[in-house]
Structure formats: C-alpha cells, structure tokens
Amino acid sequence: MESIYQPVADLILRRQPCVALTGAGISAESGIPTFRSKGGLWEKFDPTVYASIEAFRGDPSKYWSIRGEFIRNYDAYQPNPGHRALAELESMGLLRHVITQNIDGLHRKAGSRSVTEIHGSLREIFCIQCGKEYRAPNIPEGTPPRCECEGVLKPNTVLFGESLPIQALETAWREAGGCRVMLVIGTSAVVQPAASLPFIAKEHGAALVEVNLDKAFSNADYFLEGKAGTVLPELVSEMRKQS
Ligand code: NAD
Ligand code: ZN
C-alpha cells in the first residue's frame, strides 16, 4: 500500500531547494507550551500586559513573573524527533534552511546548522542599561533579574511591539522566495511577518506542505495531519527508502 508520505517524499526529492518554517507546535512535544492553542499561555495572560515592549519598559517584573510558566530553565529542554528529523534532512542535503519563530534554541540543539531565529533566542539575555550579556540559564535571582549595574535584564527575543532583527528577516525573505518546497510545521500562522512567508514562497512558485494537528493554511498543496514528532520522522524514513 502506498504510504501517505510518499507523494510529499517524492516532491521533496524532486524539487529542491526545500526550506522549513516552524512554529511553537514543533516544540510542544518537548514540553514547551504553545501560546495560542487551547489552554495556551495567552488564554491566561494578556500578552499586551505581560509580553509587550511597552509593558516591559513600564514594569518588567510582569514579564519575568510569567516567564517561568513558559521556559524556566533554558538548558533543561531537549529536542524531540521532529527537530531531529529536520536536522537529518539537512544532513541528507534535502533541507536548505530552517526559519523558526521559536525562541527555544531546539533546532540547533538537534543539530540543524542552517537556522534563522526570526524572533530571537532565549539563549542570551542582556542588560537594557549597560548592554552586558549574560547566558540565559544563569539568570540572577530575583524578579526582575538585574545586572551588576542594577539595570534590568531582557532576553534577546522579540516582544510584542518590537521590530524583528532586520538581518534575520532578510534571510527569511530570501529563503522563502528562493525555495521550491516549503514545509510549514506547527504554526497557527497569525503572527506577522512570519505568517506571510508561505505566501511569498507560493508566489515564487513553491509547493507548500503543512504539518499540523489542525490545518492553518488553506492554500497548502499537501496537509500532513498529526504531531510533528511523528509525521516528520515518518517522512524522512520514506525519503530514505526512495533516495
Ligand atoms: P501558536 O502557539 O500560535 O500555534 C501553535 C501551532 O502548532 C498550532 O497551529 C497547533 O495546532 C500546532 N501544534 C500544536 N502541537 C503540535 C504538534 N505536536 N505537532 C504539530 N503541530 C502542533 O504558535 P506560533 O504560530 O509559532 O506563534 C506563537 C509565537 O510565540 C511564535 O512566533 C513564537 O515566537 C512564540 N512561541 C515560541 C515558543 C517556543 O520557542 N517553543 C513557544 C510558544 C510561542
Ligand atoms: Zn548593566
């Protein structure tokens, strides 16, 4: 019997380059909660109060008070089979780049090398007063954590109301516009400008393959329903059979 993964495996083998766009869903199986799904963080906490740059400047303790609900200790989280499958595809020469909205660093931990983190990373935090950089797992005690100069520390991630790092954005646009297949994995596609990347890819003639529990892209050419940690390894094993 033909595997449901076979047409997508064929597509990726035939049409290169392939680029992936990932969202919170790919890290859900690593134990990191998504934001907008049912029971997600933004049902409990209003992001404009807890995760916007204006709110952070006004009262940073709000952000830091819920940070532990999301990722308490950066080093404690491990990549899952979904992240590892993408790293494997890259090493097979079949995935040129990963554009991720995630700030958890799990793609790199899984071994992906060509990664753009368009919303930054929790890996570093820095003092908003003197700019000194710290390593995220060594967050000083107290809320909000402070630098030795008493300035407040902020993670190197994009909060609501902040602009995206321009270089990362340019890479993302270039990769989206230059790919012939885009894998869109575990994103609800509501956060701009990330949500427009699949449209850019499509406009330039790429085929879209969505991997999600629920379909978010009506213009996807293929929809692989299920958990990223199950679907992606199945897809890679199908490609190994064919290549
Ligand atoms: P989202 O929370 O809005 O949506 C998550 C999507 O993943 C949904 O479409 C859901 O159906 C799907 N999903 C859930 N579990 C899945 C699984 N096991 N396999 C496949 N799909 C699954 O996430 P988003 O679109 O990425 O946007 C949220 C924003 O918040 C991002 O831009 C990101 O910066 C940030 N965020 C990051 C992390 C992280 O770093 N791990 C986690 C939450 C949110
Ligand atoms: Zn400082």
Side-chain angles (χ1 to χ4, degrees):
M1 205 182 74
E2 189 180 280
S3 142
I4 53 162
Y5 300 107
Q6 198 188 336
V8 176
D10 275 351
L11 181 81
I12 298 173
L13 287 165
R14 265 187 300 112
R15 290 176 59 133
Q16 284 287 322
C18 175
V19 164
L21 169 68
T22 67
I26 196 169
S27 294
E29 292 159 78
S30 292
I32 302 174
T34 59
F35 285 171
R36 282 179 188 72
S37 323
K38 215 173 167 303
L41 211 55
W42 301 150
E43 259 181 24
K44 285 192 275 179
F45 304 100
D46 178 352
T48 58
V49 175
Y50 287 90
S52 72
I53 187 64
E54 296 92 273
F56 189 90
R57 288 203 188 103
D59 179 6
S61 61
K62 278 234 160 20
Y63 169 88
W64 283 108
S65 71
I66 67 154
R67 166 61 195 279
E69 302 257 343
F70 175 51
I71 289 185
R72 194 169 290 278
N73 181 346
Y74 179 84
D75 276 342
Y77 294 91
Q78 294 307 323
N80 65 56
H83 299 104
R84 286 198 287 274
L86 292 186
E88 196 179 336
L89 263 192
E90 182 184 331
S91 68
M92 289 162 77
L94 294 169
L95 183 67
R96 186 166 75 181
H97 199 74
V98 176
I99 305 164
T100 187
Q101 301 169 77
N102 297 342
I103 54 181
D104 54 33
L106 292 181
H107 285 298
R108 287 185 201 280
K109 259 192 198 171
S112 286
R113 289 160 180 267
S114 186
V115 181
T116 297
E117 295 164 312
I118 54 176
H119 293 162
S121 169
L122 290 173
R123 209 168 27 248
E124 306 116 24
I125 54 176
F126 67 95
C127 170
I128 60 173
Q129 199 161 281
C130 76
K132 181 169 178 190
E133 284 190 18
Y134 292 77
R135 271 270 294 148
N138 306 326
I139 294 172
E141 290 295 314
T143 300
R146 287 183 186 274
C147 176
E148 50 199 30
C149 83
E150 286 304 308
V152 169
L153 300 185
K154 178 188 176 296
N156 221 344
T157 58
V158 178
L159 295 182
F160 285 91
E162 276 190 297
S163 47
L164 271 65
I166 187 70
Q167 234 182 340
L169 206 51
E170 277 173 7
T171 304
W173 278 327
R174 194 181 58 238
E175 291 293 341
C179 68
R180 295 187 69 218
V181 179
M182 179 176 267
L183 290 171
V184 184
I185 305 157
T187 177
S188 59
V190 292
V191 182
Q192 287 294 356
S196 63
L197 293 170
F199 293 90
I200 293 174
K202 190 103 192 179
E203 265 171 31
H204 286 79
L208 287 190
V209 178
E210 178 175 16
V211 178
N212 204 320
L213 303 177
D214 305 300
K215 201 169 200 281
F217 281 88
S218 54
N219 64 345
D221 299 285
Y222 297 88
F223 175 53
L224 298 178
E225 182 177 0
K227 293 183 172 179
T230 307
V231 170
L232 294 173
E234 292 277 358
L235 183 61
V236 172
S237 99
E238 182 63 34
M239 289 169 71
R240 280 210 177 282
K241 272 193 240 160
Q242 292 189 29
S243 59

